[in-house]
Every structure is written in structure tokens, then in C-alpha cells.
Amino acid sequence: MKGFVQRVVETLSVGENKDRVSVVQYSRDPKTHFSLNTFTEKRDVLNALQELNHLGGRPLNTGAALNYVRNHAFSDSSGSRHQEGVPQIMILLSGGRSQDNVASAAVALKREKVVPFCVGTRNADVLELQVIAHNPSYAFSVPRFDDIGSIQTQLVSFMKRVPRQQPTLKTQNALDSNRRDVVFMLDGSDDSQPQFPYIKDFVQGIVANLNVDANKDRVAVLQYSDTAEINFNLKRYSTANEVLEAVESLSHKGGYTQNIGAALQYARDHVFTSESGSRLLEGVPQILILLTGGRSGDDIRTPMRMLKEAGVISVAIGTNDADTLELQTISHELKYFISITGFEDLPVVEKDVLSLLGEASHHAEQTPPKKGFDSKNNDVVFLIDGSYDSRDGFEEIRGVIEKIVGSLNLDENRDQVAVVQYSRDATVNFYLNSYSSKNDVLNSVRTMRHKLGRPLNIGKALAFVRDNVLAASVGGRGAESVPQYLYVFSGGRSEDDVRGPAQSLKEKGIKTVSIGTKNADTLEMQTISFTPAHNLYVTNFKNLQSIHAFVEGAMRGTQEATEFQTVTDTLAELELQSADIVFLLDGSDDMQASERHILDFVKEFVKKLEIGPSKVQVALIQYSTEPKSEFILNTYSLKNDVLSHLNNTKLKGGHTVKTGGALDYVRKNVFTSLSGSRVQQGVPQVLILLSGQKSEDDVLGAVGRLRNTGVALFSVGVNNADKMEMAQLAQSPRAMYFVKDKSEFPLVKEELLSAIASHKETVSPGIAFPGPISIMKRDIVFLIDGSDDVRSRFSAIRDFLVKMVESFDLDQGKDQISVVQYSNNVELSFGLNAYNTSRDVLNHVASLKPKGGRPQYIGAALQFVRDYVFVPNAGGRLHKGSKQILIMLAGGRSRDSPRGPASMLKTAGVVIFAVGSRMSNSAEMQVISSDSNYAYLVPDFINLPRIQNSLMSHITQIGVEKESTAGKK
């Protein structure tokens, strides 16, 4: 160890105004051998190192040592120059696992902008070192300290990359002096309990940078799980120390599920209120920082819309187990969503959160907010797609505008209207101050002609409206605090960037509502909209008349402005023209009390459908221990026949519930051509599951196999249904429903009809319906680290492989699987054409043992897979159109470069997923993977189940594709 330190010092330029060095030794207690300002000459440092004696003692209290280094070694009195922006670097050499907690000490050290590097021997805890290190790649492991020289060059190289900080005084560390009300909403569920110290440290880190004072920044904290509870409100504490002490003393709430929707509603009703200390009515920015480690057990959309419309700016931070789409919906805009692997990574994003807080303080409303959309005066601009994309729907667009104008009050200069058309450029039909009577506006709308042209430049059009149509010179009354609304109609995707102009409109307080039709890009429309909730999609222009209530409600503050239900209910019967719908009912004994309500639910649902061989087909399956078919898709072609059967149906009964087996039964026996399925004709395949209790068998594998066939699954929980299981079964968060009371069955029925009709919002993007569907074959290769470094965790890898294999369809010849191990060389466990049944593959996987060896040569392993596994003579079916998928698991850094082989695999059409653990390099995983979303990091291979759902979701998306011209070839 001494030799290593001496060699590192030799690489430095030691001097008063250059590099400074300190050495601290620790066991039970730490001891400073010399401080940063003790020596100014390199030879003095080296001499002092030579004279060091081993401290001895036990136990090893690394946490206490880290706190000591922060408070003493990196202090001004010891020679630290942090205020001048000089990089603060700590190199920890550890030979064992700490006996005290290192997490909070590490967070506190990083908060002071210290960059820790860690070097540990085999007896040290690698995960502990990664927690302490600045990032996982700054944690090194060697078998013994005798081998420490092997990592010296790399460590010194990393040290030289540590950037110089901006010179700052402690008094300047806090954010600017703008006033803010900051509310932390913390995941207090059982799942977050082990990592709750990280959450508390994060909150304290943010609070330390605020100007906490009754007249400046105020802070509140609430926790949520099944329910929400406030720890302290915005007016409770008026100093930073009081807040920090309150956070330190927080107890973990506990609770099984994460009901984020209910928590958001609680925050709106009980925290962002004047009674609780909120200064919303004074125009003080309202900021919500949400931390979650999982998927919400309830609907977040309505409470989130209400918070956003009240002016609350939300930052959403979620771990790998959280739902990305859910958090993007919650966040103020996409950059306000932050993804982390686990809560232990919170220190890494602390700076980003502070930056967003600073930004939010400036562009939040600084004047008291208006009461929603209820003003007597409005400036309304209609921005119409005038390109060839909307030529067939121009009359419908004009009709909608006529309807809306008819409901406005244009007398006495209350409401004003302008109309602009756009394609390549924007053209004004009339300005806000062009007409002062409703008749004049209507006459102009009725006589306007379609602009025509291409391409579609929505970004340019938005900027034009901002600068030339909402301006005071042409009637814009924004400066007079008159609400301004912009309604954008689009029939296609923009050829230019919409983000900048859209953001500037939001910053000016202009409420933009987007209506996308035909080929419009949904994400683009949501970006344009004032919030994602202000975006509406209709499948064709003829359905535009149905949105009148929504558009009018958006200005008047009616229910239609905050709930899409009125619109989607209207559209449901228009759009649900053809589908294969299977009802799968839990018929067990526990459901007998609800029998009438459940069967009435199915009957009322069927009454809304157009039943027929070329329209909607319906099947009904019951299950408990075993499934039972009441009727399949091609049994009945008349609605009355279906209803007649339902009138005579009784629940089958049974003590146990095996949902997994029932899902497999439906896949093999109902969603088939023989039973009437029209999947090959591009007809949507829909399964509606009603369940009353947790399944006694595995559902994950079964639901994965079902999704692989293109089925969209909607789950309805009743009685004692398990929320987590229902979430796993549902196609998306919007496809999951809970009936808390029997009276809610009719409401759920209407929501389901709307959701199925609006399938673009509920079906996984990779499942291409309602267009023709081609179920693609897949060749899946698992490339797993079999080196000595993962020997103790190999059983976790093996269990993960078993779960993944169970999710694929090997028995029908659609999927093939191969397993390859690597370390310093590569070993083929079995090839793609070795087995053609799930049982054979699972038997081989269950018997796998680690091949052993070190180090890891990932580049050579990737090259092997390319040359010897994804090839026709080994079973590769690329030439037959089979999708090629590689799933790589790495437990350490590669000794060779994987860049070239990975690039060649991607060029050859292989989609690569890279999963890294322990000592793997995150940048290396990104280089290997086909997409940044396809790179995963887990603290340990025992955490692999955490990523299984996400991984399978991505694989499903590339495994079932819309039939394309290339596919036909």
C-alpha cells in the first residue's frame, strides 16, 4: 500500500500552488499522518510516506473515517482549496468490509464536491466501494494489495480527468434568492425501506442548497405508499437547520403499494394550500420533487393535471422499477424526469435537480395564478394544418371551429379569435382584432380556403403565432393578463423542431391544446401541448366533431377540460369497428358474491359492440384451478346469441386461482385461427381479465408469452385482487382498473370501451395493431459472464435465464435460444438449433455451471457470437427473416475493446441488450447495446429480477412488428 501511494505521488506536481497531498489511516478510529498543507515539496511527502507505520486495530469503521476526512482532511484549516475550485480527490484503500454505515457519509462527502476513488481487495465489499466511489467505474478491485500496481495507470488517468470546479464560497452554494415552496414527495413503501437513508440524505443535500426562511424558501415533506401522510408542511420550519433535523429524524412510513395518484391528490388538497403555508396565491413558484421506486397502483392522470393547471412544477425521479411513461407524465417536461438505477445513485443527480430548481424558479408564474380557465375574456387562436396531409379533412376542421366560435362571447371585446393556416410557412386568415362580431368571424371561417403545400413546419408556425398573432399590435392581450389559448390541428409529423417554440409559448403562459389526426406524431403533439393532458388524438378527421365539448371546456373550466372521458366515450362506438375480444373471468368461490355484477358487466359491454364475423367477435372463458370455455370467438355471429348465452351463465366455482395457466390456455386455444382469431388479418386481439385474488401460479412467463403473440391485455381487479399482479398483467398503467365498489362496474365498462377504441395509448408501441400483424420468429442468444468474478452469483444468473426462457415461445418453433459463456475465452453451452422445446432448454439451463477463468474479454466473446452462433449452420435464421437478439450479462470490465465487434453485430442486424453488474463499466454497456435504453446496470446479479419486466417489454416491442414492405420481400 505504501509503495502504491508513493508511485501515485511520483506522478503529481507537488507544490504550494500545485498539487497537495494528505494521508489518513483508519481502523476503529482515523488518524491524520500529515495534512494537505504540511508539505510543499514532493521529496518531503515521499519521506513521510516511507516512515509510515501500520496503525493496526479493529473493527474497520469506514463510515466514520469518511466523515473524519470530510470534516478535517478537506477543511480550510488543513489546506483544502475547495473555495478556489481546486479538485478535491480522495483515494480509499480498503482491505475489508466496513462495520459501520458508509452510505450517508459517502453522500455527505460527495455533497462537498469531493471525488472519491476506491481500491479494495477480495475481502472488501465491492458494492460498498461502488457506493462510496464517485461512480461505479471509480471503484477498483484487486485480489491482494500485492496486485495493486495493475490498476495504478488507470486510476491516475481517471484522476487527471477530474475537472476544476468553479470557485465558490460556502455562502454562494445555495440557490438564488428567489422565493420557492418546495415539496418533497417520498416513496415510503416497503420496497424503499432498505434505501430510505439514501432518500433522506438526498433531501438534506437539496435543502442545504436552499435559502430556507419564512420569507424565502419553504420546505415540506410527505411520504406515500397505500396512503399519503405529511411529515411537516410548508409553514412548520423557518430555518435550514430545523428542516435538516426534521429530515434526519424521519421514520419510514411503510406500506405495500405505491399509490402515487392518491398522493398527488393529497399534495394538492393538503400541502399546496394557504392553510399549509403555500404562497401560490402570491405567485411564489410551487415545486414538487417526487421520488419513486416503483409503478403506481392507481391512476395519476387526473390529480397530475390538476396540479399542473394550478401551476405546480414537478420533478420526477424514478428507479429502474418505476414506470417511465408515468413519470414523464408527472414531470413538468421531459427534462424534469430523471431516471436512476436505484436510490443509492441519488447523489449523482443532486446537481441536476438543483439546476432544475433554479430554472423552475425563473420560468414559473411570478404573478398570482388565474383561476383555471374561467376568465370572462379570452384570446383564442386556431392554428390549422393547411398542408396536403389535411386536404381531405379541411371541411371537418372548419366545422369544428364554427362550432367553437358559436359558443364564444365575441361581443364587447370579450373573446377574440384569430385563424392561421400553416404548411411550409404560416398564413394569417384573420387576426385577433380583425373582427368584433361573431357573424363576421363565422363568415370569414366559412369562406376560407385550404392553403395547401408541403412540408409541414409546425415549429416555424408556432413561432409565427407567438411573434405575429398573439402580439399586442394585432390585438393580443397577454400583457393585460387575458388568458390566451392556441389550438393546433395537425394531420402529420413536423419537418422541423417544435421543442423551442413550444417551450417559449408555455413560458409566456399560453395554453396550447393540440389535436392530432391521421399521421400526427403523438409525442410531438404532447410536447406542443401545455401539458400532456392537453393533447387529444382522433383517428380520422370525421371524428373531429366529437371534440367540441373538450375544446370548449378547456376555456370554460368545465369537467371536459380535465377529463377526456366525454370525448373518448363518444369516440368508442365510432372507432371500435373490428376486434377479437376475449373475456377471462375468475370464476372461483371468492367471486360468487359478485357473480351478478360481473356477468352484468360483460353483458353491458357486449351491448355496446357491433357483433359479427367482419366486426367484433367475443369469447368467454372462466377459470379457477382449471380454465373452462363458455364460447370461443367464432361460436356466435349475432349479438342476441351472445347475450342469450350470458343470461344462462353461472360462475364455475373452485378453491384456487391459477391465472398463469388460464393465460396459457387462452393463448393456445382461443387466440388461434381454429377458434376464430383474425390476428393475421390485422384485427386487434384484446384480452379483458377480471380477477378477484392473487394467482397461485406464475403469471409473468404466461403474460410475456401472450404479449409476444400481439394480444393487448386489460386487467380489472375486484374484491381482493392483488394490485402488483394486476399491474404486471396490464398492457400499460392505463390498461389497469380496480372496482372498489359494485357501483363502479358501469364506469369501468365505459373506460374500457374508450381505452380499447383508443388503443394507440394503451398498447405497447412494439405491437403494431390495427395494421396487419406479422409474428416474427426470434433467435435469442444469452452471452453470460462465466468468470471467477461471478462464481458466487452464478445461481442468480441461472435463475434469471430460467425466468427469461419461460417467457419465450420455443414449442411452436417461433423462438430459438442459445447460451454462451465467456471469461478469458469463450465456451458455447448450446447453439440455437440444439433444442426445440422449452423443457429441453430449461433442463440444460438448470444444469449450467460457471466455466471459470479471468479476466473477461468481452470483445472476443462478441466476435465469437457473430462468427459461430448467429450463423445458418448453427441455427441462425436471419436469412429467413428471424429477429436476431443478443442479451449480454457482464460482471466486470473487459480487457479488450468491445466497440468493433459490437458494431459489426449491430450492422449485421443483431439487437443487443447489455446488462452490467458489480465491477462492469457503464460506458462499456452503452457502447455494446443497440440503444441507450437497452443498457442496464444492477448493483448485483441477485437484483436481476428488477429489470426482467423492462427487458421483456423491450424484446416484445422488437419481436412483434407491423408487416412492412421489407418483411414482404
Side-chain angles (χ1 to χ4, degrees):
M1 283 194 285
K2 283 170 55 175
F4 172 76
V5 176
Q6 287 174 318
R7 290 192 297 273
V8 172
V9 171
E10 289 283 7
T11 67
L12 304 177
S13 299
V14 178
E16 176 67 27
N17 298 313
K18 296 179 182 178
D19 297 333
R20 294 180 180 177
V21 179
S22 171
V23 170
V24 176
Q25 198 178 157
Y26 77 100
S27 54
R28 179 189 295 275
D29 301 304
K31 173 186 178 183
T32 299
H33 289 287
F34 53 87
S35 302
L36 291 167
N37 55 5
T38 303
F39 302 117
T40 57
E41 299 288 339
K42 184 185 293 187
R43 64 173 178 271
D44 295 333
V45 173
L46 293 173
N47 288 338
L49 285 169
Q50 191 61 42
E51 295 172 4
L52 278 183
N53 292 317
H54 190 242
L55 181 64
R58 59 167 56 95
L60 195 65
N61 291 330
T62 308
L66 295 176
N67 282 327
Y68 178 88
V69 166
R70 173 172 58 87
N71 294 326
H72 299 281
F74 286 111
S75 66
D76 295 344
S77 59
S78 295
S80 170
R81 295 164 293 173
H82 61 97
Q83 294 185 21
E84 301 169 34
V86 174
Q88 308 289 286
I89 296 172
M90 182 196 76
I91 303 172
L92 169 70
L93 277 67
S94 174
R97 185 174 187 174
S98 178
Q99 296 301 303
D100 62 356
N101 184 272
V102 302
S104 58
V107 169
L109 194 66
K110 295 170 191 175
R111 194 179 295 144
E112 297 298 325
K113 304 298 185 289
V114 175
V115 178
F117 293 84
C118 298
V119 182
T121 64
R122 183 174 291 175
N123 292 327
D125 186 309
V126 175
L127 187 58
E128 183 176 87
L129 297 182
Q130 290 180 338
V131 167
I132 297 170
H134 179 67
N135 63 53
S137 64
Y138 283 13
F140 300 85
S141 181
V142 291
R144 304 180 310 276
F145 280 124
D146 293 351
D147 304 308
I148 200 169
S150 63
I151 55 96
Q152 178 187 325
T153 302
Q154 189 176 10
L155 185 144
V156 171
S157 173
F158 282 163
M159 282 173 52
K160 290 180 178 178
R161 297 180 201 171
V162 177
R164 186 178 180 85
Q165 300 288 329
Q166 286 295 322
T168 54
L169 295 173
K170 280 198 172 181
T171 54
Q172 296 173 320
N173 281 342
L175 293 171
D176 55 63
S177 57
N178 286 341
R179 298 188 300 166
R180 284 167 289 255
D181 290 341
V182 182
V183 176
F184 292 91
M185 198 165 101
L186 310 180
D187 184 343
S189 68
D190 294 342
D191 288 343
S192 71
Q193 186 168 18
Q195 296 183 309
F196 198 64
Y198 296 117
I199 295 175
K200 294 202 300 184
D201 287 337
F202 169 76
V203 176
Q204 289 178 310
I206 299 297
V207 170
N209 283 276
L210 298 175
N211 295 295
V212 179
D213 183 271
N215 297 315
K216 292 180 181 177
D217 292 332
R218 293 181 181 178
V219 177
V221 172
L222 68 92
Q223 290 186 60
Y224 69 94
S225 54
D226 309 82
T227 58
E229 65 180 35
I230 193 164
N231 293 105
F232 54 88
N233 64 23
L234 289 163
K235 66 181 181 182
R236 177 73 177 274
Y237 300 117
S238 56
T239 70
N241 283 338
E242 288 176 327
V243 174
L244 291 171
E245 288 174 7
V247 173
E248 183 62 37
S249 63
L250 285 179
S251 297
H252 187 258
K253 178 182 184 299
Y256 184 63
T257 59
Q258 293 113 308
N259 289 331
I260 300 177
L264 292 170
Q265 187 67 45
Y266 182 91
R268 177 184 180 273
D269 295 342
H270 301 286
V271 184
F272 288 109
T273 64
S274 301
E275 295 77 14
S276 293
S278 168
R279 294 165 293 175
L280 173 66
L281 297 179
E282 300 173 33
V284 175
Q286 307 291 288
I287 300 170
L288 174 70
I289 302 176
L290 165 72
L291 279 78
T292 180
R295 189 181 191 179
S296 180
D298 60 359
D299 187 10
I300 55 98
R301 290 170 294 176
T302 299
M304 197 60 242
R305 280 199 296 271
M306 297 170 75
L307 276 172
K308 287 184 177 180
E309 287 171 2
V312 176
I313 295 175
S314 300
V315 179
I317 305 169
T319 68
N320 276 350
D321 292 330
D323 186 283
T324 299
L325 181 60
E326 201 168 65
L327 295 186
Q328 287 176 342
T329 300
I330 291 171
S331 59
H332 177 63
E333 55 183 89
L334 285 180
K335 69 178 178 180
Y336 282 71
F337 162 58
I338 298 174
S339 179
I340 54 178
T341 303
F343 289 123
E344 66 272 12
D345 291 334
L346 281 170
V348 179
V349 301
E350 186 177 304
K351 187 176 179 181
D352 295 330
V353 175
L354 289 170
S355 175
L356 291 173
L357 278 177
E359 180 181 315
S361 305
H362 291 292
H363 71 62
E365 275 188 85
Q366 296 299 311
T367 55
K370 308 173 187 71
K371 295 181 180 180
F373 298 98
D374 60 354
S375 174
K376 294 180 179 179
N377 303 326
N378 300 285
D379 289 344
V380 183
V381 179
F382 295 98
L383 182 58
I384 304 170
D385 181 347
S387 73
Y388 289 105
D389 287 336
S390 66
R391 179 167 49 185
D392 296 337
F394 189 71
E395 291 304 318
E396 283 75 12
I397 295 174
R398 177 158 50 197
V400 169
I401 294 175
E402 283 186 57
K403 260 190 166 182
I404 295 166
V405 170
S407 65
L408 297 178
N409 185 355
L410 275 72
D411 299 325
E412 301 174 6
N413 290 323
R414 289 189 174 178
D415 295 335
Q416 295 183 153
V417 176
V419 174
V420 182
Q421 291 190 58
Y422 70 98
S423 53
R424 179 187 298 276
D425 301 300
T427 303
V428 178
N429 287 89
F430 54 89
Y431 290 98
L432 289 166
N433 60 359
S434 294
Y435 304 116
S436 57
S437 76
K438 185 178 293 187
N439 283 338
D440 290 340
V441 171
L442 288 172
N443 287 336
S444 184
V445 170
R446 289 165 183 158
T447 57
M448 67 183 180
R449 294 185 176 182
H450 194 214
K451 180 180 185 296
L452 295 179
R454 58 168 56 98
L456 201 62
N457 290 328
I458 302 177
K460 190 175 182 180
L462 294 173
F464 179 86
V465 169
R466 179 195 65 204
D467 299 335
N468 301 286
V469 182
L470 290 167
S473 59
V474 289
R477 297 173 291 176
E480 302 170 32
S481 297
V482 172
Q484 295 186 306
Y485 300 93
L486 172 62
Y487 293 90
V488 182
F489 293 81
S490 174
R493 188 174 186 174
S494 181
E495 294 293 321
D496 63 354
D497 186 17
V498 303
R499 289 171 296 181
Q503 182 59 32
S504 63
L505 284 167
K506 292 174 190 175
E507 291 173 359
K508 287 179 174 290
I510 295 158
K511 309 296 189 295
T512 304
V513 178
S514 65
I515 300 99
T517 62
K518 217 173 177 182
N519 299 315
D521 183 289
T522 302
L523 182 58
E524 191 171 76
M525 292 290 95
Q526 289 180 345
T527 301
I528 292 168
S529 304
F530 184 64
T531 74
H534 287 75
N535 163 241
L536 183 66
Y537 175 86
V538 291
T539 54
N540 57 64
F541 291 111
K542 291 180 181 178
N543 292 333
L544 280 174
Q545 295 296 330
S546 305
I547 71 167
H548 168 244
F550 169 76
V551 176
E552 181 183 355
M555 289 184 290
R556 300 306 181 197
T558 59
Q559 185 67 12
E560 288 89 345
T562 56
E563 292 289 349
F564 281 99
Q565 200 56 57
T566 301
V567 182
T568 51
D569 283 351
T570 306
L571 295 178
E573 294 183 57
L574 294 172
E575 295 183 19
L576 193 55
Q577 298 167 352
S578 180
D580 292 340
I581 301 177
V582 176
F583 291 92
L584 180 60
L585 306 184
D586 174 352
S588 66
D589 295 341
D590 286 352
M591 301 289 276
Q592 299 297 319
S594 304
E595 180 182 68
R596 182 175 63 82
H597 299 282
I598 291 168
L599 293 172
D600 284 347
F601 168 82
V602 178
K603 282 189 286 189
E604 293 303 316
F605 196 101
V606 169
K607 286 178 183 178
K608 290 279 190 177
L609 305 175
E610 288 296 324
I611 303 293
S614 62
K615 296 178 181 177
V616 178
Q617 296 184 148
V618 177
L620 177 64
I621 314 296
Q622 291 191 56
Y623 76 98
S624 52
T625 307
E626 299 292 339
K628 170 193 173 186
S629 287
E630 291 288 339
F631 53 89
I632 56 177
L633 292 166
N634 56 7
T635 301
Y636 300 120
S637 58
L638 296 175
K639 185 185 296 187
N640 285 339
D641 291 340
V642 175
L643 294 173
S644 177
H645 192 128
L646 288 169
N647 285 333
N648 295 301
T649 300
K650 301 289 183 183
L651 294 185
K652 67 189 290 294
H655 295 300
T656 59
V657 169
K658 294 187 177 180
T659 308
L663 292 172
D664 275 331
Y665 176 87
V666 167
R667 174 176 59 86
K668 293 176 181 178
N669 299 283
V670 185
F671 284 113
T672 65
S673 299
L674 287 175
S675 296
S677 170
R678 297 167 291 172
V679 63
Q680 297 298 339
Q681 301 169 39
V683 175
Q685 307 290 288
V686 178
L687 176 66
I688 301 173
L689 168 73
L690 279 82
S691 172
Q693 57 184 300
K694 186 175 176 61
S695 177
E696 296 191 19
D697 62 354
D698 175 55
V699 299
L700 280 179
V703 77
R705 290 187 287 273
L706 191 65
R707 286 176 184 165
N708 288 348
T709 64
V711 175
L713 201 156
F714 297 79
S715 65
V716 180
V718 298
N719 296 349
N720 300 312
D722 183 89
K723 289 187 177 181
M724 181 66 72
E725 186 173 85
M726 301 304 286
Q728 292 170 337
L729 291 169
Q731 189 71 29
S732 75
R734 300 182 185 184
M736 175 178 62
Y737 305 88
F738 283 93
V739 179
K740 298 176 183 176
D741 185 82
K742 294 170 184 177
S743 63
E744 294 182 0
F745 272 110
L747 175 62
V748 170
K749 177 205 68 180
E750 295 298 330
E751 290 180 347
L752 257 175
L753 274 167
S754 301
I756 294 169
S758 306
H759 51 72
K760 282 182 179 290
E761 294 187 10
T762 53
V763 178
S764 173
I767 296 179
F769 77 69
I773 292 178
S774 170
I775 309 301
M776 295 193 69
K777 296 179 179 180
R778 296 176 295 195
D779 295 340
I780 304 122
V781 176
F782 289 94
L783 178 61
I784 60 177
D785 186 341
S787 68
D788 294 341
D789 291 341
V790 303
R791 186 179 297 276
S792 62
R793 293 293 186 268
F794 196 77
S795 60
I797 295 174
R798 193 165 50 225
D799 292 344
F800 175 71
L801 292 186
V802 168
K803 290 293 186 185
M804 292 295 291
V805 170
E806 287 175 343
S807 299
F808 296 121
D809 190 352
L810 281 75
D811 299 324
Q812 304 299 320
K814 292 173 182 173
D815 296 333
Q816 293 185 156
I817 288 182
S818 170
V819 174
V820 181
Q821 289 192 55
Y822 73 94
S823 55
N824 54 337
N825 53 28
V826 189
E827 179 182 286
L828 178 66
S829 297
F830 57 90
L832 290 165
N833 57 2
Y835 304 116
N836 55 18
T837 69
S838 297
R839 177 179 295 179
D840 290 339
V841 172
L842 289 170
N843 285 341
H844 195 134
V845 169
S847 66
L848 283 177
K849 294 181 180 179
K851 66 180 292 297
R854 64 159 57 97
Q856 295 100 318
Y857 288 97
I858 298 176
L862 293 171
Q863 189 69 43
F864 178 92
V865 168
R866 175 181 179 271
D867 294 342
Y868 300 104
V869 185
F870 282 119
V871 292
N873 61 3
R877 300 175 295 175
L878 178 62
H879 62 294
K880 295 181 181 179
S882 177
K883 203 70 181 177
Q884 310 289 282
I885 299 170
L886 174 64
I887 303 169
M888 189 203 75
L889 281 74
R893 299 175 183 83
S894 179
R895 286 296 180 92
D896 60 355
S897 174
R899 188 181 297 273
S903 178
M904 287 190 286
L905 278 166
K906 295 172 200 173
T907 302
V910 178
V911 180
I912 306 176
F913 295 85
V915 182
S917 173
R918 295 171 70 86
M919 296 298 291
S920 61
N921 186 300
S922 58
E924 206 165 63
M925 297 299 100
Q926 294 280 347
V927 166
I928 294 169
S929 62
S930 294
D931 183 280
S932 59
N933 292 322
Y934 294 177
Y936 295 86
L937 279 178
V938 292
D940 192 284
F941 281 132
I942 60 174
N943 303 117
L944 282 170
R946 284 170 37 178
I947 67 164
Q948 183 181 340
N949 285 348
S950 174
L951 183 58
M952 275 307 305
S953 176
H954 283 308
I955 293 171
T956 299
Q957 289 169 18
I958 61 173
V960 182
E961 299 184 345
K962 192 171 182 178
E963 188 177 40
S964 63
T965 304
K968 290 177 182 176
K969 289 180 183 177

